[in-house]
Amino acid sequence: MTDRRLWSYQDIAAHLQVRPDTVRSYRKHGLLPPPDDVRHGKPYWYVATVLAWIASRPSNRGRRGT
């Protein structure tokens, strides 16, 4: 079953253990995938989208067990 929860900048930042401004910067520089949904002008991403993006990041290649 697919996880249909939506994550905000804050949720992504908490998962990555960085500040929300860092995640906003990723988006500004085109490093974050496009949002899956926009509600009231705020972007949200499905958990699966975020986890796939994290797995494909160059700094994460070759890591195991995360």
Side-chain angles (χ1 to χ4, degrees), residues 16-61:
L16 295 174
Q17 298 179 341
V18 298
R19 294 178 37 197
D21 287 342
T22 302
V23 180
R24 286 184 186 92
S25 177
Y26 291 159
R27 182 169 182 219
K28 178 181 175 185
H29 290 95
L31 302 174
L32 195 63
D36 293 306
D37 196 3
V38 177
R39 296 181 182 179
H40 306 288
K42 295 181 181 181
Y44 293 91
W45 293 262
Y46 289 118
V47 173
T49 302
V50 175
L51 296 179
W53 169 71
I54 291 169
S56 71
R57 292 174 64 201
S59 64
N60 199 36
R61 291 188 186 137

